[in-house]
Structure formats: structure tokens, C-alpha cells
Amino acid sequence: MANYNPYQQAGYQQSQFPPNGTQNQYAGTPQSGYGHPGTPQPEQSYFPQQGQPGLSNDGGIGQLAGQMGGMGLGGGDAAAPYRPNKKKNRHAYHNLDQPAGQSPAFGGAPQNQFGYVGQDNQQQLGPDHPYAGQQVTQAMNQFPAPTAPFSTGLQAPSPGLRGQPQPNPGTVAPGVSQGNVDPDQIPSIPRVRDAAAQYYLDHVYPTMEQHIPPPAAIPFVAHDQGNSSPKHARLTLNNIPSTAEALASTALPLGMILQPFAPLQDGEQAIPVLDFGETGPPRCRRCRTYINPFMIFRAGGNKLVCNMCTFPNDVPPEYFAPTDPSGVRVDRAQRPELTTGTVEFTVPKEYWAKEPVGLHWLFLIDVGQEAITRSFLQAFCEGILRALYGDEQDHENEDDAQADGDKLDTRRRLPPGAKVGFVAFDRSMYFFNCNVGDPSVCTLLDTEFLLQAKLEQAQMLVMPDLEEPFVPLGSDGLFVDPCESKFIITNLLRRLPNLFSHHRFPEPALLPALKAVQAALATTGGKITCSLSALPTHGPGRLFLRDKNDLHGIETERKLFQTEHADWRKVAGKMVESGIGVDFFLAAASGGYMDIATIGHISALSGGETYFYPTFTVPRDVEKLTKEIEHSVTRETGYQALMKVRCSNGLQVSSYHGNFLQNSLGADLELGSIDADKAVGVIFSYDGKLDSKLDAHFQCALLYTTAAGERRVRCTNTVASVGENLNEVMRFVDQDAVISIIAKEAATRMTERTLKEIRSALTEKTIDVLAGYRRTASGSHPPGQLVLPENLKELAMYSLCLLKSRAFRGGHEPSDRRTYTMRLIKSASPLELSLFLYPRIIPLHSLPDNSCFPDPETGHLIVPPSIRASFGRIEDGGAYLVDDGQICLLWLHEHVSPNLIEDLFGPSQTSLSSLDPFASSLPVLETHLNAQVRNLLAYWASLRGSKALTLQLARQGHDGAEYEFARLLVEDRNSEAQSYVDWLVHLHRGIQLELSGQRSKAEGEGMGIGAGLDSAMAGLNNLMGR
């Protein structure tokens, strides 16, 4: 009975593949970057043992014997010799030989604080309490575990400790006679993620003691010891070659991914905010680096030596403190700027561009015909209400709320001082006055109008002039406190769809509306949230259909990925100059053309974001739209931002990649706004030789205004060792940072190069990296073996996923989809990009009984192992949850068990055809499986980027989303790209040619022509013999 599956249909066999391919390599003692050095590791092989028949599947793996020959995949060189620190005070005052000190971030959470449905009380809930109708709260996050306060008993993972011998940096296995590849043994992204996630349930990540960050797609708690958390900054190389020639031999990029506002895990220490008064924070007089933990005090505390340029600065009298005999300031422990890697400083008026005020949020609402007929307008208004006030049931009567000023503050979704305004547009513009204050705040031109002392509903002013639009209310009259005017705002947003139901103008005029709201925010800066449901073909700046399918696949296709409209570029520049960020919510009419390249240019340049719904459907997409509006409004956001990255002598910033404005090479980055989900890639180059006796230092300074109206600088400090041994360099590589830098740079080149050239460059880059390692760090292995760096084992798979993404894939793809994906990649965090490239997949039909419930001892959610993204892992009669951080699909096999459908959707649902194709969530039921899946969805919702998690059904043989499911099976041949195993064969061939000196650049262009997406679909259908 141990193997009994209640959801397995009679007559169908389970797949021969286990759920996670192989036994967990991290069982017992953690390995492969998460265990203690010196722990013996069994030799890893990517082939079956001698005498074991080779596995084959529909992907054609069994046909690769002739191609593979003696190719081996697996183990590498022995660890490099121990290299001690070469200079006293190398790490300033951080003693790496000692365990992490006590952290206030681990104060011990109370037991049973998590809001997951428990399997024990599942049997006890009555009919009025279906799983308590539980709310998905932030406490559902997997961290922190209810533990005792942090102490040295909490082990920190030891690989990556500087100066310690390390495990083998690569994996290799000898060739075997039968030559069959075991797909279970090639590098697996799900296996690494699951093992690391399990490991970091019980271990903290100390930022100075370990220099190999955890995978970006897993939750972990970081203890900031002076080096910033990898959530804020990830270096591609945490041991940097001393010369440019040494770096070139590895073919790896030297770069950093910065996410200044990255959300903190529950249990992590909050970013300290420090005020140095009118003098501002101490800075180096030569290079202007801000005070940080790696600056050294000398001369009894009178001199401050900069860690970037080594200039000795005089310590200001007000900041002086004596040093002890070891050279450490006596007040160091009380100075967060000297002990914490990420810190914020409030700054004096000399840092102000304009008087800082609370964030002014303007909602620009499309009220055209498409928005009304497709209910997009109503859904957008509901999203605004939810963002400003939350769910209705969370609040009392609106009249009581207005009468009780104290309760208003407790219900605020926006910070105190933040204000909101509302403007609608179609062929004209409509400004709404929601002000309940003094009538003198309103000024009108050519119209006599008197504001009532107490408005009962919003008043609308029409602006028909599109050539020279202006703001009839003035900025003071347009913006109101969302709590003080809650009754008026709520009434307006609920009446808005009916108010314009008879206008029916199909052609919106977007650019004049953007000009008008930019003028309204010019004096204060702020944020614009704009909806659009049709191509703006009216008025100045009108757009037209550029993508007529005649440019696809040719050199001029790249023109479709950028705007050629001068007026749109000018408005984008003015938005940044005024300190305004723009978020667009675009709903294409039946998948129609929206010219995202032009419209989204404003959001990309201003630091905003574009949300795209290519086939917006009610009610399926309403919940997703609502949640994403809420997230965009309530996430941490700053505006009027400037970013500057500084680095040690011998290095310089070569280029930036992301969504921002940079007026000239070397200038500061200008961002109208920046939020918690945005990341920027920085690439460094050498302007000299680094001293291997010293460390390399990096500091990102972000000057911005908070949503509450305070001007601050957020400093992110990162350190890396410098070495001359390339084995050490490869030992401290951050795979997520490497693939992020490569992806962002490739996305930037989309407007300069053809897609074929970019695909070829990505292929060649992957071969160069692997060949560089093969040449420099594993030359003792036979040439017929494919040797992969231990910390870059999954680089080949991520590169293949990048080639299969909508931005770079071959074949026909609408330009809107390509442009949207391009800008997503440019601004995505490592977490969001990792999930986007390789989705997580969980089989629901075989969930163990205790999975997806909190562990009764620790309180952690027991997350089942994920499977590889290949149809070879799909079982007959199965149900699978697939999430790539953008969409979440529930794929149901054609012969899925009726019992499973009933347990998920209710007793009246027993077949695929009976399910609502537009469902976006699961009902709350008193069934074990239903509770498990809802808990899993709640957990996943806490581990993603800016896109909301809602369900979309993909029923085999019923829904078009089935093709999206096939596209997400990235290990299979699809999108004119190879399968994972074919890709490894291709890379191995390129590496062999490179090592033998016979490789030409043309070899990198051979991506292999597959049968396209239909081949993956055919593989799925073959499971049923269809």
C-alpha cells in the first residue's frame, strides 16, 4: 500500500522516471557547494553503469550514441592548494576565522506563526470553516523557521570560505563503451534548487564567511556581516583575476547584478537608516566613496583610508572616535555604517534636486471603446481600489472611516504624505477633482467654477485640446490624500465604467495624455500607472501598425524592437528629467498589435515596468490584473533617483544594462523611479593590474526620494578577493550572476544586431566559457571528455533556455512579445530571471500525504521535489503545476483521474470538459489535495518577481494554453532549438574544435533546426498514442 496512488487511472503505467530523476545528492551531508570542505564525494557519472541498458525517450536520446562517442560528463581537478591571506587587515575588521556573531535577525519566531492549512486540523474543520478560508499572508513565507535566537550553533555552509581547501571544482566521468546518455545524470537545475532550498532551511548565509551565494530561485536568510547580501548585489566572480589577460582566458564576464530594493526575507535585519545631520555622511574627498565597513582608520582614528582609491582622509571632528590597540574604533559595534554592507543615509539639502515630498501617484485610465466592451476598464478600477484600500471586508463602513482619523493611518496602503490623482482619456482627457479641502486649491481657465466645501462625488473637467494640453485643476487640486478622500475615490472608480459606457471612442490619444500628466507632476515628480487597451491611433503621436510580418527574419527586424517616433522619445526624456516613473498595463485586443516598442519605451527609460496581457479575457485575467496593480502600487518604490557605481583602483565601469537613462558614457544613471523588483547589470573592465594582496571593492550609491518624501542614499558594499590562480577564480563563480549578465547584455544588443547574430553569440559565449575552463583548469583530462565547472554545471541549460525564450527564439514571433520579453530580461532580478528561464514543475497526482503542509516540528512548509522540464517526465493521467514566474499553468492529462478533479475543484466537477476554462484560482474545499495545492501556490507566490500568481488551466486536448505548457518544457526540442542532450553534444563538439584550434566562428551558428513547438506537443500526445 506504500506505493498506492488514488489518482492513477487503471490501465495506465507510471513513468519509469522518479519524480526528481535521481536520489537527492544532498541527502545526509550537503555537497556540491553546500557541504563542508573535505567531505568525500562519490564520483558522479552521467551514464548508466556497465551492463545497465541505456534509457531512451521520445526526445530521441537513445539515438545519440553515435554522436556522443566517448564523451563523458561529470568530476574535475583536485582542489587548489590553500592560499592564506597575504596582508594584515585584508578584510578590514572582519575576522573570517570566527563563526558569525549573534544576529538580531534571528530573534526566534513564535511557534505556529505560519498561515498554511495544517493537515492535522484538516479533519477537524466544520462546514462553516473550509480550511478556515485562510488568508495568504506574508507569514506564509518559508523563513524564518521558529528557532531559538541565532548562535554559533547554527551552521554556516563552509564551501566558499576564503582560504579553505575546496571540493573538486568540476565534474567529469570517463566514456563508456555503450555510449548511451542517462538523462537522469546530466546536470539538473531542479535537483540543485531543491537540495539548496532544503539545506538553507536550517542554515543561514553569512555574507563574509561564504562567497558562493545560494541559487537565486530559492529562499534563504542572509546575515549581513559587512558584505552586502546577494539579494542586493551579486558578483559574477567572487575571486577576481589580477589581470585582464587572465580574465579573458576564462571568457567569463566580470560584472555585478544590483537590486537595491530587493525584498528582505522575514527574519532578516532591516536596512539601517542613519542621519548625520547637515554635514551628511562621511565620504572620501578624492573618489567620493561613502563610509563603509572596509575603510580603515589610522593615526589613532584621525585618518580614514578609502578602500577604493586608498586616499587617507582627515576624519571630521564630529565623527572622530579613538581606536583600540588593534586599530579598531572603540564605537565600531555601535556604528551600523561600519558593520553592515547595505545601509541608508538621510542627506542634507545639497543632495536635493527639488523639495522632496510624498510620492504623487497618478492613475491614467483608458476609457475607450475596447476598454469598456472587454471589461478591462472595470477590472482596472477594481485593481486600483484593491491597491489603495485592500479587500472590502478588511475595512469598516466608509463613513466611519472618514470620521475616525486615527484609524485612517492604520489602514493606509501608501506611506503618509503620498497622494493620488485620477485622469481618464480617450479622444479627450478627463481630470477628476476628488479634493475635500479648501476650494482655493482649484483654479480654472475660461470657466467659472466653485468647489464645494465638502464634495459628495468627484467633479470632472474635460480637456479636448490635444495639441497643447494643460492641467485645469493644477497639481494641488488634482492630487488628494487617498484616505481623506476615500469615499469620493471609491465612488468615482465604481461609477467610471458606466460614466463612459456611451462614449465609445475606439481610438485613444495616449501621447497628449502623457504630456498633460507629466506637466502635472513636473514640480514634484512621482509615479504614473497607465492602462491601455488599443493602439493609440488618434491625435499627436498617433501610432500605426508597423509589424506586418514582412520584416521578420531579416536584418531590419530589429527596427520593430525600438521606437522611431521622436515625440515619444522626447516625452520619455522629460519623464526622467522630472523624476517620474511610468508603469503600463497593456491589454491587447484579441492578441492585436500594441507597438510595445514605442509605448514601453517610456516605462523602460523612466525605470518603470510594462505589464502585458496579449489576450486579455474576463474573468480569467481579472484577478491577475488586480493583483499586479496592487503589487505595483504597494511595493517599495523610490523616485527622482540617481545611481553611481564605484570600484577599486585597477577596475572601471565598462557598461550598464537595464531600464534607465544614461546621457553619456560614464555619467550617473537617471531613473524616474525604481522599485523592489528592478535590477541593473554592471560590467567592469580593467584599467590596470589588481594587487593580489588586496581585495577588490565595489559600492553602489543610489540617491532617491522615498515614497514618504525623504531624500536618502542607499549604499550597497561588496568585496571580492583578488587572485592569480584560475582554479580559485572558477571556484567562486556565481552562476546566476553570470547568466544574468549574459542575458542582459544580449537583450541590449537586440536593437543593434540581428537575432541570428545574437543566438550565434550566445552559443559561442557558452562554448568559450566551457572551453576556457577546460583549457585552464582541467587540462589533465582526456580530450574526449566534457568537463563542466562545478559552479557552472547548469550554465549550458540556462543558455539553452535563453535561446528558447521569446526574445531570441528562432521562427515567427510577434514583435510585441519579443520586445516585452527583451525589456523584462533587461530589468529582471536574478530570482525572476532564473524562474523565467527554467520553470518549476510539481506533479500533483503523486504528492505524498505530508507534502505542502507545515512540518509539525519546525513550521517549515514541506515542499515536494520538482521535476525536470521535459515531456519524458510527464506521466499518463497526471496533473502538473508549472510556474515560470510570469504565468502558472495547471496542466491536466487527457485521462486524469476524476477523483483528482473532484478533490481539486469540487464534487460537481468530475471531467475535464466540466471545468471552467476561465478559472484563475482554486475553490476552498475540505479535501486534502485542495489544501495541499493552495498551500503550494501560497508558497510560490512569495518567491517570484513582479508578476502575480494566478492559475490558468491547460487541459490536454481542450485549451490553447497546452501549447504554452509545451513551450515551457525547455529540455525538449522546440522553437527551432535543440533538446538539452543534443545541446550538450553540440557544445562538446565546439569545445573539442576550440581546443584543437580548428573552431571557426561559424561553428557557433549551428543551433540545429528542429521540428518546432509542434514536436514537443507531439511528444505529449504520444504519451497517449495519439
Side-chain angles (χ1 to χ4, degrees):
M1 296 295 294
N3 296 325
Y4 171 70
N5 185 349
Y7 302 122
Q8 183 176 356
Q9 287 281 69
Y12 290 92
Q13 299 297 322
Q14 295 280 354
S15 170
Q16 61 178 324
F17 299 111
N20 199 24
T22 59
Q23 182 179 359
N24 191 334
Q25 63 173 333
Y26 292 90
T29 302
Q31 301 175 16
S32 183
Y34 302 99
H36 294 277
T39 303
Q41 298 188 33
E43 184 179 8
Q44 185 178 0
S45 173
Y46 296 99
F47 294 92
Q49 298 295 328
Q50 294 287 347
Q52 178 182 350
L55 298 178
S56 62
N57 58 21
D58 294 325
I61 295 175
Q63 301 174 4
L64 293 172
Q67 301 180 51
M68 297 295 290
M71 186 181 91
L73 303 172
D77 297 339
Y82 170 82
R83 181 172 67 87
N85 297 337
K86 296 185 178 179
K87 185 173 182 179
K88 185 179 179 182
N89 296 330
R90 172 172 180 159
H91 303 289
Y93 306 107
H94 295 276
N95 187 352
L96 300 188
D97 297 329
Q98 300 297 327
Q102 184 170 354
S103 168
F106 288 82
Q111 293 287 343
N112 300 324
Q113 67 168 344
F114 299 94
Y116 297 113
V117 176
Q119 59 177 338
D120 294 336
N121 49 2
Q122 178 236 344
Q123 304 292 340
Q124 304 172 6
L125 300 179
D128 297 330
H129 198 321
Y131 288 106
Q134 70 186 34
Q135 299 298 318
V136 179
T137 66
Q138 184 67 23
M140 285 185 172
N141 209 328
Q142 194 159 229
F143 285 94
T147 59
F150 177 74
S151 66
T152 56
L154 183 58
Q155 299 179 4
S158 51
L161 297 183
R162 206 174 296 181
Q164 294 290 333
Q166 299 300 322
N168 292 341
T171 8
V172 68
V176 292
S177 58
Q178 68 267 31
N180 289 333
V181 182
D182 183 354
D184 288 333
Q185 295 301 323
I186 57 180
S188 168
I189 292 176
R191 185 187 306 148
V192 171
R193 286 177 180 172
D194 290 343
Q198 185 65 33
Y199 182 77
Y200 280 102
L201 285 175
D202 304 312
H203 295 78
V204 66
Y205 175 79
T207 61
M208 279 298 297
E209 295 181 26
Q210 185 186 359
H211 272 217
I212 303 178
I218 70 163
F220 64 92
V221 171
H223 175 43
D224 191 335
Q225 299 174 312
N227 191 30
S228 290
S229 165
K231 296 177 181 179
H232 294 114
R234 279 181 175 261
L235 277 170
T236 57
L237 303 175
N238 293 287
N239 187 292
I240 300 174
S242 58
T243 64
E245 293 76 14
L247 178 67
S249 67
T250 68
L252 288 167
L254 175 56
M256 183 165 56
I257 300 297
L258 293 166
Q259 190 181 359
F261 291 161
L264 298 177
Q265 193 83 38
D266 283 352
E268 291 182 321
Q269 181 180 1
I271 305 299
V273 180
L274 309 175
D275 188 355
F276 285 86
E278 291 299 321
T279 59
R283 302 179 66 179
C284 175
R285 287 192 300 135
R286 175 189 288 175
C287 66
R288 305 303 293 161
T289 297
Y290 289 86
I291 184 71
N292 63 76
F294 303 101
M295 288 186 172
I296 299 176
F297 290 87
R298 292 179 178 170
N302 289 289
K303 291 290 185 178
L304 178 63
V305 180
C306 176
N307 59 312
M308 298 289 179
C309 66
T310 69
F311 180 76
N313 298 269
D314 293 328
V315 176
E318 63 273 12
Y319 192 64
F320 172 80
T323 58
D324 62 18
S326 63
V328 179
R329 278 179 62 121
V330 296
D331 65 344
R332 178 179 177 81
Q334 289 76 44
R335 291 284 187 179
E337 72 274 14
L338 301 180
T339 58
T340 308
T342 302
V343 66
E344 282 198 343
F345 304 105
T346 58
V347 293
K349 291 185 177 180
E350 62 187 85
Y351 291 81
W352 296 2
K354 59 184 70 174
E355 183 78 21
V357 296
L359 182 60
H360 284 49
W361 215 293
L362 196 145
F363 296 95
L364 184 59
I365 306 172
D366 178 12
V367 293
Q369 178 178 329
E370 286 290 341
I372 295 172
T373 56
R374 295 164 51 228
S375 299
F376 181 65
L377 172 58
Q378 182 177 356
F380 191 76
C381 291
E382 289 297 327
I384 298 174
L385 284 173
R386 182 167 173 174
L388 296 180
Y389 307 114
D391 294 330
E392 269 189 52
Q393 56 267 29
D394 293 339
H395 308 288
E396 299 175 2
N397 182 275
E398 289 154 355
D399 294 335
D400 296 337
Q402 287 192 2
D404 193 344
D406 294 334
K407 292 184 179 180
L408 285 177
D409 289 335
T410 64
R411 298 191 189 116
R412 285 185 181 273
R413 306 295 302 281
L414 300 181
K419 295 185 176 182
V420 296
F422 302 90
V423 177
F425 71 97
D426 47 26
R427 286 190 172 187
S428 301
M429 286 167 281
Y430 311 91
F431 295 81
F432 295 95
N433 170 35
C434 301
N435 205 306
V436 296
D438 190 291
S440 62
V441 302
C442 178
T443 59
L444 287 176
L445 301 179
D446 302 328
T447 304
E448 292 186 3
F449 181 82
L450 184 64
L451 270 173
Q452 300 176 4
K454 197 79 170 178
L455 292 177
E456 295 183 357
Q457 65 181 24
Q459 295 177 332
M460 182 176 73
L461 288 82
V462 181
M463 169 58 61
D465 187 356
L466 301 180
E467 296 296 335
E468 297 181 358
F470 62 92
V471 184
L473 288 171
S475 59
D476 292 334
L478 184 60
F479 294 98
V480 298
D481 185 288
C483 289
E484 293 178 359
S485 301
K486 178 182 177 181
F487 177 80
I488 297 176
I489 292 173
T490 303
N491 187 37
L492 168 65
L493 293 176
R494 289 177 177 169
R495 293 177 56 245
L496 205 58
N498 292 330
L499 186 64
F500 290 92
S501 60
H502 301 296
H503 282 229
R504 305 284 179 161
F505 292 121
E507 300 172 335
L510 177 59
L511 188 63
L514 289 171
K515 289 181 178 179
V517 296
Q518 182 273 327
L521 290 167
T523 58
T524 61
K527 192 70 181 284
I528 298 172
T529 298
C530 177
S531 68
L532 184 67
S533 58
L535 187 68
T537 56
H538 184 75
R542 64 178 64 88
L543 302 178
F544 58 92
L545 179 63
R546 292 197 295 156
D547 188 357
K548 300 178 181 179
N549 298 328
D550 57 342
L551 298 179
H552 289 210
I554 60 177
E555 184 176 356
T556 53
E557 182 180 8
R558 62 175 179 264
K559 293 182 178 180
L560 298 175
F561 309 144
Q562 55 188 322
T563 179
E564 297 178 343
H565 206 298
D567 287 345
W568 286 83
R569 291 181 179 272
K570 184 177 179 181
V571 169
K574 285 187 175 180
M575 291 286 186
V576 180
E577 182 182 350
S578 302
I580 304 169
V582 185
D583 287 346
F584 284 108
F585 291 81
L586 308 180
S590 304
Y593 180 67
M594 294 290 289
D595 200 354
I596 291 181
T598 298
I599 297 173
H601 175 74
I602 293 180
S603 61
L605 206 66
S606 66
E609 186 167 1
T610 298
Y611 295 83
F612 183 42
Y613 310 89
T615 55
F616 183 83
T617 304
V618 176
R620 184 194 66 195
D621 296 323
V622 170
E623 183 178 3
K624 182 175 178 64
L625 172 66
T626 300
K627 287 184 176 180
E628 289 176 350
I629 295 173
E630 180 182 21
H631 176 74
S632 71
V633 172
T634 57
R635 63 188 171 188
E636 184 177 6
T637 302
Y639 68 106
Q640 296 180 21
L642 293 173
M643 178 183 287
K644 177 75 172 181
V645 177
R646 297 178 174 88
C647 52
S648 294
N649 286 339
L651 295 174
Q652 62 183 354
V653 175
S654 174
S655 60
Y656 294 94
H657 300 283
N659 291 341
F660 50 78
L661 173 64
Q662 187 178 23
N663 286 316
S664 62
L665 184 64
D668 295 351
L669 305 187
E670 300 180 42
L671 303 103
S673 67
I674 184 170
D675 56 64
D677 298 313
K678 299 299 179 297
V680 174
V682 189
I683 296 181
F684 302 97
S685 61
Y686 290 78
D687 62 0
K689 182 179 179 181
L690 297 177
D691 187 350
S692 59
K693 297 179 181 180
L694 301 175
D695 286 331
H697 297 271
F698 306 86
Q699 184 182 82
C700 169
L702 178 70
L703 175 64
Y704 74 103
T705 304
T706 69
E710 189 173 23
R711 196 71 171 161
R712 295 181 183 176
V713 171
R714 174 166 293 196
C715 290
T716 303
N717 301 284
T718 309
V719 63
S721 61
V722 177
E724 299 176 352
N725 188 329
L726 292 182
N727 284 328
E728 286 190 352
V729 172
M730 299 304 298
R731 188 168 295 116
F732 295 101
V733 175
D734 184 343
Q735 181 173 252
D736 288 293
V738 169
I739 196 64
S740 292
I741 286 291
I742 291 175
K744 291 179 187 297
E745 187 173 15
T748 303
R749 299 289 179 262
M750 281 185 64
T751 58
E752 305 168 5
R753 305 291 183 184
T754 66
L755 293 175
K756 183 179 179 181
E757 291 173 336
I758 294 175
R759 289 193 295 268
S760 176
L762 288 171
T763 303
E764 291 183 9
K765 186 66 174 179
T766 307
I767 294 175
D768 288 341
V769 171
L770 299 180
Y773 173 76
R774 188 72 172 82
R775 181 187 300 109
T776 60
S778 62
S780 61
H781 297 284
Q785 293 177 334
L786 174 61
V787 185
L788 303 176
E790 182 65 27
N791 293 327
L792 292 174
K793 284 192 300 184
E794 296 80 34
L795 176 66
M797 184 68 248
Y798 277 121
S799 299
L800 180 60
C801 294
L802 195 59
L803 290 168
K804 292 184 176 184
S805 70
R806 281 200 163 101
F808 309 114
R809 61 187 288 187
H812 175 79
E813 188 72 28
S815 62
D816 276 348
R817 290 286 189 102
R818 287 199 191 274
T819 307
Y820 168 77
T821 307
M822 172 191 73
R823 290 181 177 146
L824 168 68
I825 291 174
K826 288 174 65 176
S827 65
S829 66
L831 164 64
E832 187 168 16
L833 183 62
S834 179
L835 289 177
F836 176 70
L837 294 179
Y838 196 101
R840 44 194 176 191
I841 306 177
I842 299 290
L844 302 182
H845 56 281
S846 57
L847 286 177
D849 289 343
N850 64 338
S851 288
C852 304
F853 289 111
D855 187 296
E857 296 182 359
T858 66
H860 296 310
L861 189 73
I862 301 174
V863 181
S866 53
I867 65 172
R868 303 177 75 146
S870 171
F871 63 76
R873 309 307 170 109
I874 304 301
E875 297 180 358
D876 297 340
Y880 295 85
L881 207 57
V882 188
D883 176 33
D884 72 343
Q886 310 298 309
I887 60 172
C888 183
L889 298 177
L890 175 56
W891 186 84
L892 300 172
H893 189 272
E894 184 179 33
H895 293 281
V896 67
S897 168
N899 293 336
L900 184 145
I901 298 176
E902 184 175 351
D903 285 353
L904 278 179
F905 295 98
S908 61
Q909 314 292 334
T910 57
S911 66
L912 293 182
S913 58
S914 65
L915 298 179
D916 180 7
F918 302 120
S920 59
S921 61
L922 289 178
V924 179
L925 303 175
E926 296 184 37
T927 62
H928 192 85
L929 181 64
N930 181 274
Q932 285 180 301
V933 178
R934 286 189 291 111
N935 281 343
L936 180 61
L937 291 173
Y939 169 69
W940 278 1
S942 67
L943 297 172
R944 57 197 297 113
S946 60
K947 307 306 185 295
L949 188 146
T950 58
L951 275 183
Q952 183 173 350
L953 288 184
R955 301 167 296 171
Q956 188 179 30
H958 290 74
D959 300 315
E962 189 182 359
Y963 283 88
E964 187 69 13
F965 175 72
R967 187 186 67 83
L968 294 178
L969 299 180
V970 289
E971 292 197 15
D972 297 333
R973 180 188 298 272
N974 57 36
S975 305
E976 297 189 358
Q978 298 166 324
S979 69
Y980 185 17
V981 176
D982 290 339
W983 175 241
L984 288 176
V985 174
H986 177 74
L987 294 179
H988 184 232
R989 180 171 177 264
I991 293 170
Q992 288 180 313
L993 292 174
E994 175 69 20
L995 296 178
S996 64
Q998 302 176 18
R999 176 177 168 233
S1000 64
K1001 291 302 181 180
E1003 293 291 337
E1005 296 177 5
M1007 285 302 303
I1009 303 301
L1013 187 60
D1014 289 337
S1015 65
M1017 290 299 305
L1020 291 170
N1021 293 333
N1022 285 340
L1023 293 173
M1024 289 306 305
R1026 302 197 313 172

